[in-house]
Amino acid sequence: MQFDTSMLIPVLPEIFILTAACVILVVDLFLKEEQRVISYGMTQISLLLAIVVTLMTAPAETRIVFDGSVIRDGMSDLLKIAIYIISAGAFLYSKDYLKDRDLFKGEYYVLGLFAVLGMMVMVSANTFLTVYLGLELLALSLYALVAFDRDSANSSEAAMKYFVLGALASGMLLYGISMIYGATGSIGFQAIGEGLANPDVNKMVLVFGLVFVVIGLAFKFGAVPFHMWVPDVYQGAPTAVVTFLGSTPKIAAFALAMRMLVDGLGGLHADWQYMLVILAILSMGLGNVFAIAQGNIKRMLAYSTISHVGFILVGILAGTTKGYTAAMFYSIVYAVMALGAFGIVILLSRRGFEAENLEDFKGLNERSPWFAAMMLLVMFSMAGVPPTVGFFAKMFILESVVSIDMTWLALVGVFFSIIGAFYYLRIVKLMYFDKPVDASPLEAGIDTRIALSVNGLSMLALGMFPAGLLSLCSAALS
Amino acid sequence: MEKIYLLIVLAPLIGAIIAGFLGSKIGRAGAHWVTSGGVGLSALLSIYVLLQFINGSTGIYNDSLYIWMVSDGIRMEVGFLVDQLTAMMMVVVTFVSFCVHIYTIGYMAHDEENWPKGSLAGTNSYQRFFSYISLFTFSMLMLVMSNNFLQLFFGWEAVGLVSYLLIGFWSVRETAIFANLKAFLVNRVGDFGFILGIAAVAMYTNSLDYAEVFKLAPGLADTQISLIGGTEWSLMTVICICLFIGAMGKSAQVPLHVWLPDSMEGPTPISALIHAATMVTAGIFMVARMSPLYELSETALTFVLVIGATTALFTGLIGVVQNDIKRVVAYSTLSQLGYMMVALGVSAYAAGVFHLMTHAFFKALLFLAAGSVIIGMHHDQDIRNMGGIRKYMRITWITSLVGSLALIGLPGSSGFFSKDAIIEAVHHSSIAGSGYAYFAVVSGVFITALYSFRMYFLVFHGKGPRDEHAKAHLHESPKVVTIPLILLAIPSLFIGMFTVGDMVFGEWFKDAIFVLPEHDTLSAIGFHGTWAFFTHGIFGLPTLLAASGVAVAFVFYIKKPELAESWKKRFESVGIYQILDKKYGFDETYQALFAGGSRGIGKLLWNVGDKGLIDGLIINGSARSVDRFAGWVRNIQTGYLFHYAIAMILGLLVLLTWFVIA
């Protein structure tokens, strides 16, 4: 491999985040307890600067460096920027929550930044090896984050389950990769793509490997039946962690699917299309139906995630640029919606009190009409009510499958969305039509207030003007 | 210019938003300043735009400002088309709206008395009213300035919404709620046709943009489509009639006219603004704007003509027997809208639009004057209780006289030019139905004069008000009420003579309105200058009929009131009076047939379909089964790690067997 320094430029964002994480780790050592906010500030500034670095180093055309390991293209840039912004939002929401519970530690932010780095590597991966590297970096950071409140039995249990199942899924993914390597003799995506075109290649082995790869992916997404960890982790982990874990990793998972299935195994589209059909239908169906039966808001949102994942998979399985664009739009929008929903859950929690049950939303309108309205927007968006952005996200997905003559799948999606609308609207009903159990006013810092307002109103703004984000997405994929 | 157009549209919207959302903060004065200021600014800028067009220093503007979305190649956008027609409409809308804003300050000054004490709806009602009328101005401007069908539809529905809100403004009155519901439902019928028309346009031209559709239209003139029952229809006829059904709802044409008289339940300023001067003329404007489509279908033109002529004559007749001052003016509005439609039907679009403009001024004037009388009479609206008011309210009296004279077409006044142009155009038309229309519009002139001056004499002349108490308190309204009257009286008298040459017979509309040479009735009239038109008209049949209408009114209601009584008895004995009094029974029929019928069907569906099938079986049934299923499957989520792992392995096995083995 020829090395020259210009190869470092495409990976500068990753280098920057890595450096920032290390610097914060060291600086944090020398901080007093009450100065912890400096680590927080540095993390946010790093994420902000990462946007600048990413924009400044954005290449005019796709660049593949380090012997084909890393790719820097329009998609990676857009997704990374979305990851920075949404992660920063999650860190912002979690600040007060962590402070109230004596969890306000530098490690949280360092682990968070490492997770961001892992996602960045995934997004820019161009070989199975790089994919795996990013995936594990993200997963290990998340395991630790889930167990962050280590005195809590629930958190530890959740982390344990997540870890064991994650290890199982990683094992399956690696096994699948080895099969594909065996059949094509390569782990680079371009090389695999060429290998698939070769008529001598053993189709049986390939499909065998493909099944394992898809399962690894499905676990990352939390698609049924590889979703079992999702509700337990969402419920057990501290809400602050769930805010992070429930939002950005969906974007990374989308990138994972694009890199592995489309870039690498695009030649097997006919095979993985039907695998994803099964996963998508099961996810949309069970996710929505299970969510209805939940009384715990975090569990409910966990099942809601699963159903949204089903929708993202529908977009990917369409196998057309239109479908990928729609799925990309959906995953970014979903991350923003999830961020808003958990932001409100965090807002409702106080020292010594976890807002976990649906009852805690009762009469929110009387306690704070503004935040109730924000939650209303987020819920409408999740349910897909126009003119919120959730409607357009769903519509683009449905359009993309209708255009490949799979109208029946669109109908299935619509059918389950209707079922899903029930539990989102139930929250709205609780907020607006029930009397509050606990009438104490909500306290929040000005930063949280502004962020939540921006977050909620973005549902409306993106819904009124969906063309902007959509054209960004389609430009990133072309 | 683009910035100016945006400002014209947005200034009223901003005013409406501020007055609506911050009404309690800025108070009453704040609300009327901010909204009147916004609309005043729009009016000034609109006049500026019009002047630019008159001296030719600006051309037609047609551009899209924002693409909302593109679906299947159809662009949905926000854009403006500003040509001579639009510029004229913008001035009419903003000018009348501005007058109405000023007038409202006086008219609504004691609005709190109209609400039960301490009611929530009555709080800040003054600010809310201003917010609504400003919002209306915004919507109407969006409608007239649109360059595409989607925005037209947006404006169309938005003005309908505000009209609904304002008719039912006094929401504690049952009659007001009945009236606004009626207006809403009747307009639904019209809008259904309208949206079908737009859908047909989009389907066959794959565009919503006016310019593109008009360019493609001639190519589609011979297209036939088959509708229900396999009958063949000309596409253009279907499109035009569908669109016209929308216009029938909005512009209150027979048989969809029933909502307009009831809409008088709303406060008088909005009757003047929405239900006389602007919103109800949206249908006229729309047909004129669509002239490139209507010209391609003589069937549709005949349809427009016959509906218009029927409305013009028969609703005017009802006006003769009404006793509520506002309802007389409302029926007169219906009849005048009919005149405008007739003009459109004979392809004299310019004359129709010209009458729209003159009518906007004098009818707004008549309504506002009626409102001034109502203020003076302490909200008694029965003209039989009035009389001799001229002695107490000089300005209202004079301006009302001006308005009435313009309405009946006193030679030289605005109404004279616009109405004569229409009648002459019908006379020169050879399209099917023009004979009937000529009869209707000419006899309509007599009817118009009769009911206008019946009202005028009963209100302003004769002996003073019956009620001594009312008489004692009768005095002229405040300046904010009378100044708009004077402002409107001026164009009511004079605008016609200065503009008729250019607007109706000249080149003014040549780029905005399209007329086929064989339909061009206006140039068939042969115009030789305003003066010649005037002298010709003085001795024409319409003027004669108008004069005799006034004379009959004078004899019946001033000279020999007993004569009116005996004629009334005579008509009663043959049943004509009752027919008119019942307004041909439209209301009763609709209520029995449509309202009653749909309630019957609704009840049936509710009992059998909704309660039994949907609620019982599908909703509750499926909800129960979803619930049961969810309760059952949640047992799968046991919380045990090994169960989870098993589920994953099972999933793997299923996928493997499905895709690898099979």
Side-chain angles (χ1 to χ4, degrees):
Chain A
M1 181 175 85
Q2 286 292 321
F3 179 83
D4 75 86
T5 42
S6 78
M7 287 166 69
L8 286 177
I9 292 176
V11 293
L12 214 53
E14 281 86 351
I15 295 176
F16 176 76
I17 287 290
L18 176 64
T19 319
C22 295
V23 168
I24 292 167
L25 185 62
V26 174
V27 168
D28 190 64
L29 273 180
F30 299 98
L31 291 178
K32 294 202 198 69
E33 203 53 44
E34 64 273 11
Q35 292 171 321
R36 210 55 76 191
V37 75
I38 295 176
S39 315
Y40 163 74
M42 287 173 74
T43 310
Q44 295 291 44
I45 292 168
S46 318
L47 287 172
L48 207 67
L49 287 177
I51 300 177
V52 179
V53 172
T54 308
L55 285 176
M56 278 173 53
T57 58
E61 53 196 33
T62 304
R63 283 206 62 188
I64 296 174
V65 287
F66 294 112
D67 237 2
S69 306
V70 173
I71 184 168
R72 182 84 191 271
D73 55 4
M75 181 177 102
S76 68
D77 284 357
L78 179 61
L79 292 182
K80 275 178 200 170
I81 289 172
I83 288 171
Y84 305 144
I85 296 175
I86 296 166
S87 303
F91 293 155
L92 195 154
Y93 290 152
S94 46
K95 189 184 73 183
D96 291 338
Y97 180 93
L98 294 173
K99 270 186 184 162
D100 285 349
R101 283 159 189 77
D102 301 323
L103 294 171
F104 194 54
K105 304 229 178 359
E107 288 86 342
Y108 178 82
Y109 297 104
V110 174
L111 283 171
L113 280 183
F114 276 121
V116 169
L117 180 62
M119 291 189 262
M120 291 164 73
V121 173
M122 276 160 80
V123 168
S124 269
N126 199 35
T127 67
F128 272 120
L129 198 64
T130 329
V131 160
Y132 189 72
L133 198 67
L135 190 69
E136 283 303 285
L137 183 53
L138 170 65
L140 289 171
S141 313
L142 289 182
Y143 301 148
L145 278 175
V146 171
F148 200 66
D149 188 5
R150 59 183 177 190
D151 295 331
S152 152
N154 281 339
S155 287
S156 312
E157 184 192 328
M160 201 61 207
K161 283 177 184 166
Y162 189 23
F163 176 66
V164 171
L165 295 175
L168 184 61
S170 287
M172 290 184 181
L173 178 64
L174 272 183
Y175 186 64
I177 292 173
S178 71
M179 285 290 156
I180 289 168
Y181 176 65
T184 62
S186 173
I187 53 164
F189 291 146
Q190 276 77 23
I192 291 174
E194 286 155 22
L196 292 180
N198 184 351
D200 298 337
V201 71
N202 190 332
K203 186 81 190 297
M204 179 82 143
V205 177
L206 264 182
V207 175
F208 193 76
L210 176 67
V211 171
F212 283 93
V213 168
V214 167
I215 287 172
L217 185 68
F219 178 83
K220 203 68 229 158
F221 263 120
V224 178
F226 310 97
H227 68 287
M228 297 292 213
W229 61 276
V230 180
D232 288 18
V233 167
Y234 274 43
Q235 189 182 8
T239 312
V241 174
V242 183
T243 311
F244 179 63
L245 177 143
S247 49
T248 33
K250 291 291 168 288
I251 299 178
F254 164 76
L256 191 64
M258 288 299 291
R259 294 296 181 212
M260 294 200 306
L261 295 185
V262 181
D263 287 359
L265 302 167
L268 295 175
H269 173 248
D271 295 285
W272 57 256
Q273 180 174 42
Y274 272 89
M275 296 183 198
L276 293 195
V277 167
I278 296 171
L279 295 176
I281 293 177
L282 284 176
S283 302
M284 289 189 292
L286 293 185
N288 280 319
V289 171
F290 277 31
I292 289 178
Q294 305 303 324
N296 179 302
I297 178 81
K298 282 159 80 183
R299 269 188 105 77
M300 189 203 94
L301 286 172
Y303 283 110
S304 128
T305 305
I306 295 171
S307 71
H308 286 289
V309 160
F311 257 94
I312 298 176
L313 291 178
V314 170
I316 297 173
L317 68 86
T320 55
T321 317
K322 202 173 170 182
Y324 302 144
T325 312
M328 189 165 173
F329 185 84
Y330 202 110
S331 33
I332 294 176
V333 164
Y334 174 72
V336 180
M337 293 194 289
L339 183 67
F342 282 111
I344 301 274
V345 175
I346 286 191
L347 182 78
L348 289 177
S349 310
R350 290 184 306 278
R351 184 184 287 273
F353 173 73
E354 293 287 334
E356 292 211 311
N357 293 318
L358 293 181
E359 271 70 45
D360 299 326
F361 278 86
K362 275 188 178 169
L364 183 59
N365 185 43
E366 286 177 33
R367 296 171 64 191
S368 167
W370 180 250
F371 290 127
M374 293 302 112
M375 187 65 176
L376 171 96
L377 286 176
V378 172
M379 287 295 117
F380 274 4
S381 186
M382 284 200 170
V385 178
T388 54
V389 64
F391 166 75
F392 285 98
K394 284 202 166 58
M395 193 185 81
F396 296 142
I397 295 272
L398 297 176
E399 239 177 24
S400 70
V401 278
V402 169
S403 67
I404 56 156
D405 292 326
M406 285 174 80
T407 314
W408 65 271
L409 187 57
L411 288 178
V412 171
V414 170
F415 176 73
F416 286 123
S417 297
I418 294 171
I419 294 184
F422 168 76
Y423 57 87
Y424 298 123
L425 296 181
R426 181 167 59 188
I427 300 269
V428 174
K429 181 233 164 202
L430 290 174
M431 289 194 302
Y432 282 89
F433 299 107
D434 286 8
K435 288 265 158 268
V437 182
D438 151 27
S440 59
L442 295 172
E443 288 161 20
I446 184 74
D447 49 348
T448 311
R449 284 174 184 278
I450 293 174
L452 264 177
S453 309
V454 171
N455 201 172
L457 292 176
S458 65
M459 300 289 106
L460 209 55
L462 285 171
M464 302 278 211
F465 309 100
L469 182 57
L470 188 70
S471 57
L472 277 182
C473 287
S474 64
L477 283 168
S478 60
Chain B
M1 287 308 270
E2 186 183 305
K3 293 220 172 58
I4 295 182
Y5 297 145
L6 260 180
L7 198 58
I8 291 175
V9 172
L10 291 182
L13 178 65
I14 293 167
I17 289 173
I18 295 177
F21 287 111
L22 303 174
S24 55
K25 296 228 170 64
I26 58 174
R28 295 166 58 119
H32 69 231
W33 274 108
V34 70
T35 51
S36 311
V39 172
L41 178 66
S42 284
L44 279 178
L45 289 173
S46 301
I47 290 170
Y48 169 75
V49 169
L50 185 68
L51 289 175
Q52 295 280 307
F53 269 102
I54 288 173
N55 63 28
S57 51
T58 187
I60 294 173
Y61 175 90
N62 181 9
D63 208 357
S64 293
L65 301 176
Y66 170 68
I67 298 183
W68 183 36
M69 58 174 162
V70 180
S71 177
D72 237 4
I74 298 182
R75 280 175 293 118
M76 307 192 179
E77 7 174 65
V78 179
F80 293 147
L81 164 60
V82 183
D83 56 11
Q84 286 84 352
L85 177 61
T86 316
M88 185 216 88
M89 286 298 288
M90 278 155 62
V91 171
V92 171
V93 170
T94 52
F95 178 72
V96 176
S97 175
F98 180 64
C99 291
V100 167
H101 272 77
I102 306 288
Y103 177 90
T104 305
I105 298 173
Y107 190 84
M108 298 298 271
H110 303 292
D111 187 48
E112 60 276 4
E113 290 161 16
N114 293 313
W115 300 88
K117 271 220 159 41
S119 73
L120 189 62
T123 329
N124 296 329
S125 64
Y126 184 83
Q127 288 92 315
R128 192 165 71 240
F129 189 84
F130 273 97
S131 169
Y132 285 167
I133 49 177
S134 253
L135 182 65
F136 169 78
T137 313
F138 160 74
S139 317
M140 192 71 199
L141 285 170
M142 285 295 273
L143 192 160
V144 298
M145 292 170 76
S146 164
N147 76 343
N148 61 73
F149 284 91
L150 190 76
Q151 191 182 331
L152 173 74
F153 189 70
F154 165 79
W156 195 266
E157 291 300 311
V159 291
L161 167 74
V162 185
S163 157
Y164 166 80
L165 291 172
L166 283 170
I167 295 172
F169 183 73
W170 286 316
S171 57
V172 286
R173 297 185 188 167
E174 204 150 321
T175 46
I177 296 303
F178 181 81
N180 78 347
L181 193 61
K182 186 165 169 182
F184 184 77
L185 289 176
V186 174
N187 270 299
R188 269 333 75 210
V189 179
D191 291 352
F192 184 62
F194 192 58
I195 200 162
L196 280 182
I198 293 178
V201 168
M203 186 172 157
Y204 283 93
T205 64
N206 209 33
S207 173
L208 289 170
D209 188 82
Y210 288 164
E212 285 174 26
V213 171
F214 294 162
K215 207 162 62 195
L216 291 170
L220 294 167
D222 298 323
T223 312
Q224 300 281 320
I225 56 171
S226 79
L227 289 182
I228 322 148
T231 46
E232 290 280 310
W233 285 76
S234 147
L235 172 66
M236 277 303 145
T237 304
V238 173
I239 289 178
C240 291
I241 289 183
C242 280
L243 290 175
F244 183 67
I245 289 173
M248 281 161 69
K250 194 111 300 183
S251 294
Q253 299 293 300
V254 173
L256 296 180
H257 66 286
V258 290
W259 64 272
L260 189 63
D262 283 26
S263 76
M264 296 301 128
E265 287 295 337
T268 306
I270 65 113
S271 306
L273 175 62
I274 301 185
H275 304 120
T278 54
M279 184 191 83
V280 289
T281 59
I284 319 291
F285 166 79
M286 188 273 292
V287 175
R289 177 56 87 211
M290 302 298 150
S291 54
L293 303 182
Y294 279 86
E295 280 301 290
L296 299 173
S297 168
E298 284 209 3
T299 321
L301 285 176
T302 300
F303 187 70
V304 173
L305 181 63
V306 172
I307 295 282
T310 310
T311 310
L313 178 60
F314 289 94
T315 54
L317 278 172
I318 303 177
V320 180
V321 301
Q322 292 296 315
N323 291 320
D324 181 317
I325 185 168
K326 282 180 75 182
R327 278 180 187 253
V328 178
V329 191
Y331 278 103
S332 148
T333 305
L334 283 174
S335 161
Q336 298 305 310
L337 289 168
Y339 272 90
M340 298 174 209
M341 284 297 180
V342 167
L344 304 175
V346 296
S347 298
Y349 302 100
V353 175
F354 183 58
H355 193 51
L356 184 165
M357 175 182 81
T358 58
H359 174 259
F361 293 125
F362 64 69
K363 191 51 67 65
L365 169 62
L366 279 174
F367 260 119
L368 294 186
S372 174
V373 170
I374 293 170
I375 301 176
M377 291 294 295
H378 290 276
H379 294 270
D380 182 357
Q381 305 193 356
D382 195 326
I383 50 177
R384 288 168 300 188
N385 297 338
M386 301 175 187
I389 289 180
R390 73 173 194 281
K391 281 174 263 168
Y392 306 95
M393 307 175 86
R394 310 293 290 190
I395 301 177
T396 308
W397 166 54
I398 298 285
T399 49
S400 282
L401 181 61
V402 168
S404 303
L405 286 174
L407 170 60
I408 67 165
L410 170 80
S413 70
S414 304
F416 164 79
F417 289 106
S418 55
K419 198 176 289 181
D420 247 28
I422 293 176
I423 294 171
E424 284 296 311
V426 179
H427 191 52
H428 285 87
S429 169
S430 53
I431 191 172
S434 55
Y436 165 66
Y438 186 66
F439 164 74
V441 290
V442 170
S443 40
V445 172
F446 174 76
I447 310 282
T448 309
L450 180 60
Y451 66 67
S452 302
F453 273 81
R454 168 177 176 260
M455 181 180 95
Y456 170 75
F457 287 134
L458 283 177
V459 172
F460 291 103
H461 293 268
K463 284 190 220 70
R466 274 187 211 168
D467 188 13
E468 282 306 317
H469 178 71
K471 198 169 174 177
H473 288 85
L474 204 54
H475 60 84
E476 183 58 283
S477 304
K479 279 220 173 63
V480 282
V481 171
T482 51
I483 288 175
L485 294 180
I486 297 167
L487 274 181
L488 286 166
I490 297 164
S492 299
L493 265 189
F494 300 114
I495 200 159
M497 64 180 82
F498 294 116
T499 52
V500 63
D502 286 329
M503 273 182 70
V504 182
F505 301 104
E507 302 264 277
W508 177 252
F509 284 131
K510 74 172 177 352
D511 299 320
I513 287 171
F514 168 77
V515 184
L516 286 178
E518 62 264 36
H519 287 165
D520 199 352
T521 47
L522 283 175
S523 56
I525 296 173
F527 180 73
H528 308 292
T530 311
W531 180 247
F533 190 76
F534 173 68
T535 47
H536 176 74
I538 288 185
F539 304 107
L541 181 60
T543 310
L544 200 66
L545 284 171
S548 50
V550 176
V552 169
F554 182 71
V555 172
F556 271 29
Y557 299 103
I558 297 292
K559 275 284 164 208
K560 293 198 162 113
E562 64 278 3
L563 212 58
E565 276 307 304
S566 73
W567 274 89
K568 184 180 163 190
K569 291 225 170 61
R570 207 169 295 173
F571 277 124
E572 263 173 358
S573 64
V574 290
I576 294 177
Y577 183 84
Q578 286 89 332
I579 291 177
L580 290 179
D581 197 39
K582 288 268 177 211
K583 304 152 206 154
Y584 312 111
F586 275 109
D587 279 335
E588 282 74 10
T589 320
Y590 286 178
Q591 266 168 40
L593 200 67
F594 296 118
S598 49
R599 281 176 63 159
I601 296 174
K603 214 168 232 168
L604 184 78
L605 288 176
W606 178 53
N607 276 330
V608 178
D610 226 53
K611 266 168 101 183
L613 279 174
I614 297 178
D615 273 4
L617 205 67
I618 301 173
I619 305 289
N620 288 337
S622 64
R624 263 197 300 276
S625 40
V626 166
D627 211 39
R628 215 174 296 145
F629 182 65
W632 175 70
V633 281
R634 69 187 298 186
N635 293 331
I636 298 177
Q637 193 87 21
T638 50
Y640 290 120
L641 191 52
F642 55 92
H643 283 166
Y644 295 1
I646 285 282
M648 283 176 70
I649 305 286
L650 279 177
L652 169 73
L653 286 178
V654 169
L655 283 182
L656 272 182
T657 39
W658 192 318
F659 288 99
V660 180
I661 317 254

